[in-house]
Amino acid sequence: MTTSPQADTQPSAFNLQPPPLAAYVHIPWCVRKCPYCDFNSHVSDNGLPEAAYIDALIADLDQDLNLMAEYAGQQRELTSIFFGGGTPSLFSAASLARLLDAMASRLTFAGDIEITLEANPGTFEQAKFADYRRAGINRLSIGIQSFNARHLKALGRIHDDREALAAVDMARRAGFDNLNLDLMHGLPGQTETDALADIEQAIALGPEHQSWYQLTLEPNTLFYSQPPQLPEEDILWSIQEAGQARLAEAGLQQYEVSAYARADRQARHNLNYWQYGDFIGIGAGAHGKLTRPDGHIERYWKTRLPKDYLNPDNAFCAGRKPLGADDLPFDFLMNALRLQDGVPSHWYSQRTGQSLDSIASQLDNAVERGLLEPWQQQLRPTARGHLFLNDLLEGFL
């Protein structure tokens, strides 16, 4: 939804409180572009401009800090940092440490800050993992996707099943005690037995966090223009039900649409998104969100192409969108209602500046349709609401 940033469409700053602050860092290069990937990633044909990109990230950060001055952002501690991509593990630990040092000199890190690096098997060795840990990175998200060699080939992955297992072992040896494993299901030619075998192998590795999501055919991907043969709907449903039950049995509780975790090991950075926290975004194509004490909330995004982002004349920020009062219900709820337990109802007013009563009729309608639990204390979907989340959210457009 697009709204004009005129004064009469702005939130009222009703009971507004500054939400937590996080930072996202995008590193856009990959060894190969996967046919299902719609992220801002680019093949690194001619080597990585590592030093120049870190310089650009620091300059980008400084511009964001100037923007944050309007939002009283410096008074908040940084609760998490997430290096995403692309394949951030293509960069050296020394380069990432230089950026982290620059961030620490400009922002206050929380004492228990979570710093996550996305890594792909086959793009590192054990010594590199240990260097990442020494640099201050304390959480790894390893993009395995499947332990089945045939399915990995169909997905265009550059690693095999043996490298996936070795990556987890190397991470543990390097001292990482907070690991997420990324797995996909509903893969070309995948059976329920295949999918559950992936789940069993992941469980055997003992991750603290498990991302498990269904392959979807996204626009602007090779799979979208040349669709592979995917499992039938009844097989997908059986995989989903059986996989969720097995993960729960293994102590990995679902807390979001595709996220499962052991007790107190939920991804803090992703929780901040879903709980409508603020975040700065630096790097090619990164997005950010900031809240000002007067109720002004704004989303912004950065120059997408690496060659343009590295242009010394680049201003980094490619666009800014103030969120008007009509935007906020959907913008808030499309994040909060992804969570199994939702969020406390009073967070709506604290983090949007609007009274929850302003959307009471839509909430009541969702309750009547069996998609939302009674909402006075907690904004939480029913089991049916989780299954038909898009239908639930349409009521707030």
Short mmCIF file of all heavy atoms in Angstrom, two decimals, residues 272-314:
data_model
loop_
_atom_site.label_atom_id
_atom_site.label_comp_id
_atom_site.label_asym_id
_atom_site.label_seq_id
_atom_site.Cartn_x
_atom_site.Cartn_y
_atom_site.Cartn_z
N ASN A 272 13.26 -9.66 16.11
CA ASN A 272 13.13 -8.20 16.09
C ASN A 272 12.32 -7.73 14.89
O ASN A 272 11.52 -6.80 14.99
CB ASN A 272 14.52 -7.55 16.09
CG ASN A 272 14.45 -6.04 16.25
OD1 ASN A 272 13.94 -5.54 17.25
ND2 ASN A 272 14.94 -5.31 15.27
N TYR A 273 12.51 -8.36 13.72
CA TYR A 273 11.67 -8.03 12.57
C TYR A 273 10.21 -8.32 12.87
O TYR A 273 9.32 -7.48 12.67
CB TYR A 273 12.06 -8.87 11.35
CG TYR A 273 13.41 -8.62 10.75
CD1 TYR A 273 14.13 -9.66 10.17
CD2 TYR A 273 13.99 -7.35 10.71
CE1 TYR A 273 15.37 -9.47 9.59
CE2 TYR A 273 15.22 -7.13 10.13
CZ TYR A 273 15.91 -8.20 9.58
OH TYR A 273 17.14 -7.99 8.99
N TRP A 274 9.94 -9.54 13.33
CA TRP A 274 8.56 -10.00 13.51
C TRP A 274 7.86 -9.26 14.65
O TRP A 274 6.64 -9.13 14.64
CB TRP A 274 8.54 -11.51 13.74
CG TRP A 274 9.13 -12.28 12.59
CD1 TRP A 274 8.98 -12.00 11.25
CD2 TRP A 274 9.95 -13.44 12.66
NE1 TRP A 274 9.68 -12.91 10.50
CE2 TRP A 274 10.28 -13.82 11.32
CE3 TRP A 274 10.45 -14.22 13.71
CZ2 TRP A 274 11.07 -14.93 11.02
CZ3 TRP A 274 11.23 -15.33 13.41
CH2 TRP A 274 11.54 -15.67 12.08
N GLN A 275 8.63 -8.77 15.60
CA GLN A 275 8.05 -8.02 16.71
C GLN A 275 8.04 -6.51 16.45
O GLN A 275 7.79 -5.73 17.35
CB GLN A 275 8.81 -8.35 18.00
CG GLN A 275 8.63 -9.79 18.43
CD GLN A 275 9.49 -10.18 19.62
OE1 GLN A 275 10.42 -9.46 20.01
NE2 GLN A 275 9.20 -11.32 20.22
N TYR A 276 8.28 -6.13 15.20
CA TYR A 276 8.20 -4.75 14.74
C TYR A 276 9.23 -3.85 15.40
O TYR A 276 8.96 -2.70 15.74
CB TYR A 276 6.79 -4.18 14.92
CG TYR A 276 6.40 -3.22 13.82
CD1 TYR A 276 6.38 -3.63 12.49
CD2 TYR A 276 6.03 -1.91 14.10
CE1 TYR A 276 6.02 -2.77 11.48
CE2 TYR A 276 5.66 -1.03 13.09
CZ TYR A 276 5.66 -1.46 11.78
OH TYR A 276 5.31 -0.58 10.77
N GLY A 277 10.45 -4.41 15.58
CA GLY A 277 11.55 -3.58 16.04
C GLY A 277 12.10 -2.74 14.91
O GLY A 277 11.69 -2.85 13.75
N ASP A 278 13.05 -1.87 15.23
CA ASP A 278 13.74 -1.06 14.24
C ASP A 278 15.02 -1.75 13.82
O ASP A 278 15.61 -2.55 14.56
CB ASP A 278 14.08 0.32 14.82
CG ASP A 278 12.91 1.28 14.78
OD1 ASP A 278 11.84 0.90 14.26
OD2 ASP A 278 13.06 2.42 15.27
N PHE A 279 15.50 -1.41 12.62
CA PHE A 279 16.78 -1.94 12.16
C PHE A 279 17.35 -1.02 11.09
O PHE A 279 16.62 -0.44 10.29
CB PHE A 279 16.64 -3.37 11.62
CG PHE A 279 15.60 -3.54 10.53
CD1 PHE A 279 15.95 -3.54 9.19
CD2 PHE A 279 14.26 -3.69 10.86
CE1 PHE A 279 14.99 -3.71 8.19
CE2 PHE A 279 13.28 -3.85 9.88
CZ PHE A 279 13.66 -3.86 8.54
N ILE A 280 18.66 -0.85 11.16
CA ILE A 280 19.35 -0.17 10.07
C ILE A 280 19.78 -1.24 9.08
O ILE A 280 20.04 -2.39 9.44
CB ILE A 280 20.56 0.64 10.57
CG1 ILE A 280 21.55 -0.25 11.33
CG2 ILE A 280 20.11 1.79 11.44
CD1 ILE A 280 22.83 0.48 11.73
N GLY A 281 19.84 -0.88 7.80
CA GLY A 281 20.24 -1.81 6.76
C GLY A 281 21.32 -1.20 5.90
O GLY A 281 21.10 -0.16 5.28
N ILE A 282 22.50 -1.84 5.87
CA ILE A 282 23.59 -1.35 5.03
C ILE A 282 24.00 -2.44 4.06
O ILE A 282 23.88 -3.62 4.35
CB ILE A 282 24.80 -0.87 5.87
CG1 ILE A 282 25.38 -2.00 6.72
CG2 ILE A 282 24.40 0.32 6.73
CD1 ILE A 282 26.67 -1.62 7.45
N GLY A 283 24.48 -2.01 2.90
CA GLY A 283 24.87 -2.94 1.86
C GLY A 283 23.95 -2.85 0.66
O GLY A 283 22.84 -2.30 0.73
N ALA A 284 24.39 -3.41 -0.46
CA ALA A 284 23.63 -3.34 -1.71
C ALA A 284 22.26 -3.99 -1.56
O ALA A 284 22.16 -5.18 -1.26
CB ALA A 284 24.42 -4.02 -2.83
N GLY A 285 21.22 -3.20 -1.75
CA GLY A 285 19.85 -3.71 -1.67
C GLY A 285 19.30 -3.90 -0.28
O GLY A 285 18.17 -4.38 -0.12
N ALA A 286 20.04 -3.51 0.76
CA ALA A 286 19.56 -3.69 2.14
C ALA A 286 18.38 -2.78 2.42
O ALA A 286 18.23 -1.71 1.81
CB ALA A 286 20.69 -3.40 3.13
N HIS A 287 17.54 -3.19 3.36
CA HIS A 287 16.38 -2.41 3.80
C HIS A 287 16.53 -2.06 5.27
O HIS A 287 17.17 -2.79 6.03
CB HIS A 287 15.08 -3.20 3.60
CG HIS A 287 14.67 -3.31 2.17
ND1 HIS A 287 13.44 -2.88 1.72
CD2 HIS A 287 15.31 -3.81 1.08
CE1 HIS A 287 13.34 -3.09 0.42
NE2 HIS A 287 14.46 -3.67 0.01
N GLY A 288 15.90 -0.96 5.67
CA GLY A 288 15.90 -0.56 7.07
C GLY A 288 14.54 -0.01 7.47
O GLY A 288 13.68 0.27 6.64
N LYS A 289 14.34 0.13 8.79
CA LYS A 289 13.11 0.70 9.35
C LYS A 289 13.47 1.47 10.61
O LYS A 289 14.20 0.96 11.47
CB LYS A 289 12.11 -0.40 9.68
CG LYS A 289 10.92 0.06 10.53
CD LYS A 289 10.08 -1.11 10.98
CE LYS A 289 9.06 -0.71 12.03
NZ LYS A 289 9.63 -0.51 13.37
N LEU A 290 12.96 2.69 10.72
CA LEU A 290 13.26 3.52 11.88
C LEU A 290 11.99 4.20 12.39
O LEU A 290 11.09 4.54 11.61
CB LEU A 290 14.31 4.58 11.55
CG LEU A 290 15.73 4.06 11.28
CD1 LEU A 290 16.63 5.19 10.77
CD2 LEU A 290 16.32 3.42 12.52
N THR A 291 11.93 4.41 13.71
CA THR A 291 10.79 5.02 14.38
C THR A 291 11.23 6.28 15.10
O THR A 291 12.23 6.26 15.83
CB THR A 291 10.18 4.05 15.41
OG1 THR A 291 9.81 2.84 14.75
CG2 THR A 291 8.96 4.65 16.09
N ARG A 292 10.51 7.36 14.91
CA ARG A 292 10.84 8.63 15.55
C ARG A 292 9.88 8.88 16.72
O ARG A 292 8.73 8.44 16.68
CB ARG A 292 10.74 9.77 14.53
CG ARG A 292 11.43 11.05 14.94
CD ARG A 292 11.67 11.96 13.74
NE ARG A 292 10.43 12.38 13.10
CZ ARG A 292 10.38 12.97 11.91
NH1 ARG A 292 11.49 13.18 11.23
NH2 ARG A 292 9.22 13.33 11.39
N PRO A 293 10.32 9.57 17.76
CA PRO A 293 9.46 9.78 18.93
C PRO A 293 8.11 10.44 18.63
O PRO A 293 7.16 10.25 19.37
CB PRO A 293 10.31 10.67 19.85
CG PRO A 293 11.72 10.33 19.49
CD PRO A 293 11.69 10.08 18.00
N ASP A 294 8.03 11.21 17.52
CA ASP A 294 6.75 11.88 17.22
C ASP A 294 5.77 10.95 16.50
O ASP A 294 4.69 11.39 16.09
CB ASP A 294 6.99 13.14 16.40
CG ASP A 294 7.55 12.86 15.01
OD1 ASP A 294 7.78 11.67 14.68
OD2 ASP A 294 7.78 13.82 14.26
N GLY A 295 6.15 9.67 16.33
CA GLY A 295 5.25 8.72 15.68
C GLY A 295 5.54 8.49 14.22
O GLY A 295 4.87 7.68 13.58
N HIS A 296 6.53 9.16 13.67
CA HIS A 296 6.90 8.98 12.27
C HIS A 296 7.70 7.69 12.13
O HIS A 296 8.74 7.52 12.74
CB HIS A 296 7.74 10.19 11.81
CG HIS A 296 8.11 10.15 10.36
ND1 HIS A 296 7.45 10.90 9.41
CD2 HIS A 296 9.07 9.47 9.70
CE1 HIS A 296 8.00 10.69 8.22
NE2 HIS A 296 8.99 9.82 8.38
N ILE A 297 7.21 6.76 11.30
CA ILE A 297 7.90 5.50 11.01
C ILE A 297 8.21 5.47 9.53
O ILE A 297 7.38 5.82 8.69
CB ILE A 297 7.03 4.29 11.41
CG1 ILE A 297 6.73 4.32 12.91
CG2 ILE A 297 7.73 2.97 11.03
CD1 ILE A 297 5.75 3.25 13.36
N GLU A 298 9.41 5.04 9.21
CA GLU A 298 9.86 5.09 7.82
C GLU A 298 10.62 3.82 7.48
O GLU A 298 11.40 3.31 8.28
CB GLU A 298 10.76 6.31 7.62
CG GLU A 298 11.27 6.48 6.20
CD GLU A 298 12.00 7.80 6.04
OE1 GLU A 298 11.33 8.85 5.93
OE2 GLU A 298 13.25 7.78 6.03
N ARG A 299 10.35 3.30 6.29
CA ARG A 299 11.16 2.23 5.71
C ARG A 299 12.02 2.84 4.60
O ARG A 299 11.59 3.76 3.92
CB ARG A 299 10.30 1.10 5.18
CG ARG A 299 9.57 0.32 6.29
CD ARG A 299 8.91 -0.94 5.77
NE ARG A 299 8.25 -1.69 6.83
CZ ARG A 299 8.84 -2.60 7.60
NH1 ARG A 299 10.13 -2.86 7.41
NH2 ARG A 299 8.16 -3.23 8.54
N TYR A 300 13.21 2.29 4.44
CA TYR A 300 14.10 2.80 3.39
C TYR A 300 14.90 1.64 2.81
O TYR A 300 14.97 0.55 3.38
CB TYR A 300 15.03 3.89 3.95
CG TYR A 300 16.01 3.42 5.00
CD1 TYR A 300 17.29 2.99 4.66
CD2 TYR A 300 15.66 3.40 6.36
CE1 TYR A 300 18.19 2.56 5.62
CE2 TYR A 300 16.55 2.97 7.32
CZ TYR A 300 17.82 2.55 6.95
OH TYR A 300 18.71 2.12 7.91
N TRP A 301 15.51 1.87 1.66
CA TRP A 301 16.26 0.79 1.00
C TRP A 301 17.45 1.39 0.24
O TRP A 301 17.47 2.57 -0.11
CB TRP A 301 15.35 -0.01 0.08
CG TRP A 301 14.60 0.81 -0.92
CD1 TRP A 301 14.93 1.08 -2.22
CD2 TRP A 301 13.34 1.48 -0.69
NE1 TRP A 301 13.99 1.86 -2.82
CE2 TRP A 301 13.00 2.12 -1.91
CE3 TRP A 301 12.48 1.58 0.41
CZ2 TRP A 301 11.83 2.86 -2.04
CZ3 TRP A 301 11.33 2.32 0.27
CH2 TRP A 301 11.01 2.95 -0.93
N LYS A 302 18.43 0.52 -0.01
CA LYS A 302 19.71 0.95 -0.57
C LYS A 302 19.85 0.56 -2.04
O LYS A 302 19.17 -0.34 -2.54
CB LYS A 302 20.86 0.34 0.24
CG LYS A 302 20.84 0.73 1.72
CD LYS A 302 20.95 2.24 1.89
CE LYS A 302 20.82 2.67 3.34
NZ LYS A 302 21.86 2.15 4.23
N THR A 303 20.77 1.23 -2.72
CA THR A 303 21.11 0.92 -4.10
C THR A 303 21.35 -0.57 -4.25
O THR A 303 22.08 -1.18 -3.47
CB THR A 303 22.39 1.69 -4.50
OG1 THR A 303 22.15 3.08 -4.35
CG2 THR A 303 22.79 1.38 -5.92
N ARG A 304 20.75 -1.18 -5.26
CA ARG A 304 20.70 -2.64 -5.36
C ARG A 304 21.93 -3.27 -6.00
O ARG A 304 22.47 -4.24 -5.49
CB ARG A 304 19.43 -3.04 -6.13
CG ARG A 304 19.24 -4.53 -6.28
CD ARG A 304 17.93 -4.83 -6.98
NE ARG A 304 17.77 -6.24 -7.26
CZ ARG A 304 17.33 -7.14 -6.38
NH1 ARG A 304 17.00 -6.75 -5.17
NH2 ARG A 304 17.21 -8.41 -6.72
N LEU A 305 22.38 -2.74 -7.14
CA LEU A 305 23.46 -3.39 -7.88
C LEU A 305 24.81 -3.09 -7.25
O LEU A 305 25.12 -1.92 -6.95
CB LEU A 305 23.47 -2.94 -9.34
CG LEU A 305 22.24 -3.35 -10.17
CD1 LEU A 305 22.35 -2.79 -11.59
CD2 LEU A 305 22.08 -4.87 -10.21
N PRO A 306 25.66 -4.10 -7.06
CA PRO A 306 26.97 -3.86 -6.43
C PRO A 306 27.80 -2.81 -7.15
O PRO A 306 28.45 -1.99 -6.50
CB PRO A 306 27.63 -5.25 -6.48
CG PRO A 306 26.50 -6.21 -6.48
CD PRO A 306 25.41 -5.54 -7.27
N LYS A 307 27.79 -2.81 -8.48
CA LYS A 307 28.62 -1.83 -9.21
C LYS A 307 28.15 -0.41 -8.94
O LYS A 307 28.96 0.51 -8.88
CB LYS A 307 28.60 -2.14 -10.71
CG LYS A 307 27.28 -1.95 -11.40
CD LYS A 307 27.38 -2.25 -12.88
CE LYS A 307 26.04 -2.08 -13.60
NZ LYS A 307 25.54 -0.69 -13.55
N ASP A 308 26.86 -0.23 -8.77
CA ASP A 308 26.33 1.11 -8.45
C ASP A 308 26.60 1.45 -6.98
O ASP A 308 26.91 2.60 -6.66
CB ASP A 308 24.83 1.17 -8.73
CG ASP A 308 24.50 0.99 -10.20
OD1 ASP A 308 25.36 1.33 -11.03
OD2 ASP A 308 23.40 0.49 -10.51
N TYR A 309 26.46 0.46 -6.12
CA TYR A 309 26.70 0.68 -4.70
C TYR A 309 28.15 1.10 -4.46
O TYR A 309 28.45 1.92 -3.58
CB TYR A 309 26.38 -0.60 -3.93
CG TYR A 309 26.49 -0.47 -2.43
CD1 TYR A 309 25.43 0.03 -1.68
CD2 TYR A 309 27.65 -0.85 -1.76
CE1 TYR A 309 25.52 0.15 -0.29
CE2 TYR A 309 27.75 -0.73 -0.39
CZ TYR A 309 26.69 -0.23 0.34
OH TYR A 309 26.79 -0.11 1.71
N LEU A 310 29.08 0.54 -5.25
CA LEU A 310 30.51 0.85 -5.09
C LEU A 310 30.93 2.12 -5.81
O LEU A 310 32.08 2.55 -5.68
CB LEU A 310 31.34 -0.33 -5.60
CG LEU A 310 31.33 -1.58 -4.70
CD1 LEU A 310 31.90 -2.78 -5.45
CD2 LEU A 310 32.10 -1.32 -3.42
N ASN A 311 30.03 2.72 -6.56
CA ASN A 311 30.33 3.98 -7.25
C ASN A 311 30.61 5.06 -6.20
O ASN A 311 29.78 5.29 -5.31
CB ASN A 311 29.14 4.38 -8.12
CG ASN A 311 29.41 5.60 -8.97
OD1 ASN A 311 30.13 6.52 -8.57
ND2 ASN A 311 28.84 5.62 -10.16
N PRO A 312 31.77 5.73 -6.27
CA PRO A 312 32.09 6.74 -5.24
C PRO A 312 31.10 7.89 -5.18
O PRO A 312 31.03 8.60 -4.16
CB PRO A 312 33.49 7.22 -5.65
CG PRO A 312 33.65 6.80 -7.07
CD PRO A 312 32.84 5.57 -7.25
N ASP A 313 30.32 8.09 -6.24
CA ASP A 313 29.31 9.16 -6.24
C ASP A 313 27.96 8.68 -5.72
O ASP A 313 27.00 9.46 -5.67
CB ASP A 313 29.14 9.72 -7.66
CG ASP A 313 30.40 10.38 -8.18
OD1 ASP A 313 31.14 10.98 -7.37
OD2 ASP A 313 30.68 10.27 -9.38
N ASN A 314 27.87 7.40 -5.34
CA ASN A 314 26.60 6.84 -4.88
C ASN A 314 26.18 7.44 -3.55
O ASN A 314 26.99 7.61 -2.63
CB ASN A 314 26.75 5.31 -4.75
CG ASN A 314 25.50 4.66 -4.18
OD1 ASN A 314 24.40 5.03 -4.54
ND2 ASN A 314 25.70 3.70 -3.29
#
